[in-house]
Amino acid sequence: MNPRLPSFLKTALLATALLGAGHAYAASDSEGIVVYNAQHESLTKAWVEGFTRDTGIKVTLRNGDDSEMGNQLVQEGSASAADVFLTENSPAMALVSNAGLLAPVASSTLEQVGAAYRPAQGKWVGIAARSTVFVYNKSKLTEAQLPKSLMDLATPAWKGRWAASPAGADFQAIVAAVLELKGEAATLDWLKGMKANATAYRGNSAVLKAVNAGQADAGVIYHYYAFVDQNKTGENSNNTALHYFKHKDPGAFVSISGGGVLASSKHQQEAQAFLQWITGKNGQAILETGNSFEYAVGKGAASNPKLVPLAQLDAPAVDASKLNSKKVVELMTQAGLL
Ligand SMILES: [Fe+2]
């Protein structure tokens, strides 16, 4: 093994050797890896630059969204060009995992991430996280009028007053959490209430903009949309505030962005090294210092200091590998939302 390799990489390579991966790794004869990336392009680019700088391993990115790339991987099967899959949310990763397409993640990588931020069975690992929030227009709602639970938003009191982006993977991950926590019948009822009460927009940025402009009193989105906007001009969020449901409410759901290595990859060691790097010190530090405003999930890793700390969000416990995107699409279609 190259003595100049950083120690985290040696650990990763040893771990993958134990998993039965092929020949010993040498940066000079590496063809590099292909990453199917559904995470935000700017965040993944920062990860790739740091990884290539530290290891010499080249990375080719193919960008898309969660459901598009998840379905593509299932269709391509073992013929896929992908070595690694990165998602924004867990359901697309669970889809690929359930199709039997993922190699186990090296245990040294799993150990870098808190148990709450990875699925129980170790087929993939959390790389970042995002929190559900209720964003509201400060001149439309007072703090006393805020809902106690996400489930309240299906009641007649909220008719015509909130917005969401039901077609997006972000919102569908929240619905998957409701399904996992409340069961099918209660989820379908909630979705029917949403259909009656909420206005649909395309994308969470459009939801934030509508709430800021007072076209909707409130919306259900992820936290980082507001922080990213505040970090720029604030023009789409200055009239808004964020309400965190907490109390293990379904609306306090924290969605895990995932990373997995394809079992069909011919570059197992490099692919495992990439996940090891992202979840390690340097990879997680990009979440603390960069402009993504997503949460770090590495043990001992700090998130951006502007964020409400992850530990204070009192999120419900949800096994990310159980989030079922197919059932969510079925129920949302039945409720008339898709
Ligand atoms: Fe998003």
Side-chain angles (χ1 to χ4, degrees):
M1 192 172 286
N2 185 338
R4 283 164 52 221
L5 285 175
S7 61
F8 75 84
L9 188 53
K10 284 181 195 160
T11 318
L13 299 182
L14 279 173
T16 50
L18 290 173
L19 289 169
H23 60 85
Y25 161 78
S28 55
D29 61 52
S30 171
E31 300 159 14
I33 54 172
V34 173
V35 174
Y36 279 21
N37 174 49
Q39 244 295 357
H40 298 170
E41 274 184 59
S42 54
L43 173 58
T44 301
K45 267 190 192 153
W47 275 331
V48 165
E49 278 169 26
F51 172 70
T52 302
R53 179 195 64 221
D54 285 358
T55 64
I57 300 169
K58 277 193 302 184
V59 176
T60 305
L61 286 181
R62 295 197 190 166
N63 297 305
D65 67 32
D66 277 2
S67 43
E68 173 194 348
M69 300 212 104
N71 288 322
Q72 188 182 338
L73 280 165
V74 170
Q75 262 178 10
E76 291 172 348
S78 58
S80 179
D83 297 297
V84 171
F85 183 31
L86 301 183
T87 64
E88 260 203 286
N89 299 286
S90 305
M93 194 61 84
L95 179 82
V96 173
S97 180
N98 291 339
L101 297 173
L102 297 180
V105 173
S107 56
S108 54
T109 298
L110 295 176
E111 281 159 19
Q112 295 189 130
V113 176
Y117 306 112
R118 51 184 161 88
Q121 31 67 336
K123 284 285 186 182
W124 53 275
V125 66
I127 55 173
R130 49 271 299 286
S131 175
T132 310
V133 288
F134 185 77
V135 59
Y136 64 98
N137 185 301
K138 289 183 282 187
S139 60
K140 298 273 184 181
L141 290 176
T142 65
E143 275 184 48
Q145 291 171 312
L146 295 174
K148 296 267 177 294
S149 168
L150 179 76
M151 304 313 281
D152 295 350
L153 299 177
T155 62
W158 287 95
K159 193 169 173 60
R161 297 176 64 194
W162 64 285
S165 172
D170 285 356
F171 188 79
Q172 290 181 13
I174 299 170
V175 178
V178 173
L179 176 62
E180 186 56 21
L181 292 162
K182 298 282 179 185
E184 203 175 316
T187 303
L188 183 58
D189 279 351
W190 186 78
L191 290 169
K192 285 177 178 167
M194 173 179 173
K195 173 68 183 173
N197 292 352
T199 308
Y201 288 85
R202 267 221 161 266
N204 286 336
S205 300
V207 173
L208 178 64
K209 223 173 170 169
V211 174
N212 189 63
Q215 287 157 12
D217 292 1
V220 174
I221 59 174
Y222 285 146
H223 75 282
Y224 56 80
Y225 287 91
F227 286 94
V228 166
D229 188 67
Q230 282 294 305
N231 191 50
K232 292 178 184 165
T233 60
E235 62 185 329
N236 295 317
S237 61
N238 277 340
N239 304 326
T240 69
L242 299 181
H243 168 55
Y244 295 85
F245 286 103
K246 301 189 176 177
H247 307 292
K248 301 190 169 49
D249 189 77
F253 170 63
V254 168
S255 181
I256 301 169
S257 297
V261 170
L262 279 300
S264 57
S265 164
K266 295 189 175 62
H267 311 102
Q268 290 291 322
Q269 290 156 321
E270 292 94 331
Q272 292 284 349
F274 185 56
L275 288 189
Q276 175 95 10
W277 192 92
I278 289 179
T279 55
K281 197 168 174 282
N282 293 353
Q284 293 294 292
I286 287 171
L287 294 163
E288 182 185 1
T289 57
N291 294 332
S292 72
F293 292 97
E294 294 195 48
Y295 284 100
V297 293
K299 283 182 191 164
S303 295
N304 190 305
K306 287 188 175 148
L307 301 178
V308 179
L310 201 45
Q312 284 175 25
L313 297 180
D314 198 14
V318 175
D319 183 348
S321 65
K322 296 214 174 104
L323 297 178
N324 186 337
S325 50
K326 271 189 200 153
K327 193 78 199 171
V328 163
V329 168
E330 224 178 277
L331 294 174
M332 289 181 78
T333 304
Q334 217 179 317
L337 288 161
L338 295 177

